[in-house]
Amino acid sequence: MPEAHEEEKLTAAEKEKWQDGWVKYKDVVYAYNEEILTFLIMGIDKASDVEEAAKGTDGGQADALFLAVLNPKDKRIKVIGINRNTMTDVDVYDGNGEYVSTVKSQIAIQHGFGNGMEESCEYQKKAVANLFYQLPIHGYAAVNMSAIATINDAVGGVEVTVPPDLDGFQEQFTEGKRVYLLGENAFWFVKYRDTDIFGSADMRLERQKQYLNGFIRSAKRAVHKDASVVIDLYQAVRPQMVTDISPDEAVYLASVAKEYAFYEEDFYMLSGENVMGDKFEEFYPDEDAMFEMILDIFYEKVQ
């Protein structure tokens, strides 16, 4: 962060007390909140149990990318939705897993340059951390999209309002209608997009934002009612998930998070411009807006 923005002049008092890692922006000094815990959640475009890819380039793309942020100081959960087409540095590897080069490309493809297991997750974690100025990420979970129905039903379902881009896709999906998602309906609500429509990734991300808002509310209710739902869900999804979070850690995090507040304004989206590249859509984030978002979520004003 200190190198991400043009340096502002320090006052004599600031120079005297200045510490490494502090950031001055618009005459305000900020320090990173070391107590925050950040987790990367990935939705992988595969419809099977996880297994090591035959080639090091078949790990599967991360069609959904979210950062879940737990702040013990204000006891709030915040979520950042990352457009799959966000252009950033992506490390390219060959089929043998040998590094080839680093290119500017859609962030979602980074997961594919790996074995589909921990290797792919570490590649994707690095790409997201780099996008956000080397942000510390404390854990990850990559879940194959086919597990959405299982996850949804484990918390008792999620209530949503059908958006325009799903109108008529299935009989129960009518624009503006309130529906309670169960089973395959939850899968299609989260996964579907018409790739022939420009900006369909943005529309799907908005839909996923709405779904996650509802899912967090349902999950908190389910955990309050029966804490064992966490370990049951972990075991049910395990065949379709790669994570560095142990079952005990998952239970602990859920027990803490259920007491945290989560509001509509706690869901952040990257602002920027979506353009058509040579072959695929490309999303270019607004650097100033992203910088301010990171300050708002992960930093505190130095008094």
Side-chain angles (χ1 to χ4, degrees):
M1 284 287 282
E3 292 81 27
H5 229 273
E6 185 177 344
E7 290 187 6
E8 298 186 17
K9 291 184 178 180
L10 305 181
T11 66
E14 289 168 347
K15 287 181 180 178
E16 184 179 342
K17 296 184 177 182
W18 195 260
Q19 297 182 21
D20 287 341
W22 282 10
V23 178
K24 185 175 182 180
Y25 183 68
K26 294 184 177 179
D27 291 327
V28 179
V29 178
Y30 299 87
Y32 179 73
N33 179 359
E34 298 284 354
E35 295 186 29
I36 271 181
L37 292 175
T38 304
F39 301 92
L40 176 61
I41 311 301
M42 300 166 267
I44 310 303
D45 63 344
K46 291 202 170 187
S48 61
D49 289 353
V50 294
E51 57 182 5
E52 187 166 345
K55 293 193 300 183
T57 55
D58 294 332
Q61 295 189 12
D63 266 355
L65 288 166
F66 299 95
L67 282 175
V69 184
L70 278 64
N71 188 346
K73 290 190 174 181
D74 61 9
K75 295 195 179 303
R76 287 175 72 170
I77 301 170
K78 296 184 178 182
V79 177
I80 302 173
I82 304 170
N83 188 311
R84 72 171 310 284
N85 295 324
T86 301
M87 299 298 287
T88 190
D89 287 341
V90 171
D91 292 337
V92 177
Y93 298 83
D94 64 21
N96 297 318
E98 297 294 328
Y99 172 78
V100 177
S101 64
T102 299
V103 300
K104 285 285 185 186
S105 192
Q106 290 86 349
I107 196 169
I109 72 170
Q110 182 65 87
H111 187 275
F113 289 107
N115 61 1
M117 307 293 286
E118 288 79 6
E119 182 180 67
S120 287
C121 292
E122 291 295 337
Y123 290 166
Q124 191 68 64
K125 186 174 83 167
K126 177 186 174 184
V128 173
N130 288 345
L131 175 67
F132 292 123
Y133 318 112
Q134 308 300 319
L135 177 74
I137 297 177
H138 302 96
Y140 63 75
V143 184
N144 287 356
M145 286 293 203
S146 53
I148 291 171
T150 301
I151 297 170
N152 177 86
D153 292 1
V155 300
V158 174
E159 189 175 20
V160 296
T161 300
V162 178
D165 63 317
L166 268 189
D167 185 39
F169 170 65
Q170 290 185 346
E171 183 179 349
Q172 63 275 21
F173 288 152
T174 303
E175 181 182 351
K177 182 180 178 182
R178 291 292 287 176
V179 296
Y180 208 78
L181 298 174
L182 289 170
E184 288 300 305
N185 286 342
F187 170 81
W188 289 116
F189 189 90
V190 173
K191 179 71 169 65
Y192 172 77
R193 76 177 176 114
D194 187 346
T195 55
D196 291 331
I197 297 177
F198 181 78
S200 62
D202 295 307
M203 291 184 280
R204 181 173 66 180
L205 187 54
E206 282 289 344
R207 205 185 322 129
Q208 291 171 344
K209 172 184 175 181
Q210 183 193 170
Y211 177 83
L212 282 175
N213 272 301
F215 177 83
I216 290 173
R217 290 191 292 270
S218 293
K220 289 178 70 174
R221 286 195 299 267
V223 173
H224 272 289
K225 185 177 180 180
D226 181 7
S228 67
V229 70
V230 178
I231 195 64
D232 292 342
L233 175 58
Y234 188 100
Q235 297 299 345
V237 178
R238 194 70 184 92
Q240 295 172 287
M241 175 176 67
V242 178
T243 182
D244 61 354
I245 303 167
S246 71
D248 289 344
E249 288 169 336
V251 171
Y252 169 74
L253 288 169
S255 69
V256 171
K258 73 177 182 180
E259 306 300 335
Y260 283 29
F262 178 72
Y263 304 107
E264 191 84 21
E265 63 268 25
D266 288 332
F267 202 115
Y268 294 72
M269 305 277 275
L270 295 182
S271 58
E273 182 182 13
N274 203 37
V275 301
M276 193 66 205
D278 292 338
K279 291 184 178 180
F280 305 106
E281 291 180 35
E282 300 174 353
F283 178 79
Y284 292 88
D286 181 317
E287 292 292 338
D288 288 337
M290 186 167 70
F291 186 88
E292 291 174 356
M293 180 188 71
I294 298 300
L295 283 179
D296 182 46
I297 299 174
F298 297 95
Y299 280 72
E300 302 172 302
K301 293 180 182 179
V302 176
Q303 303 300 323

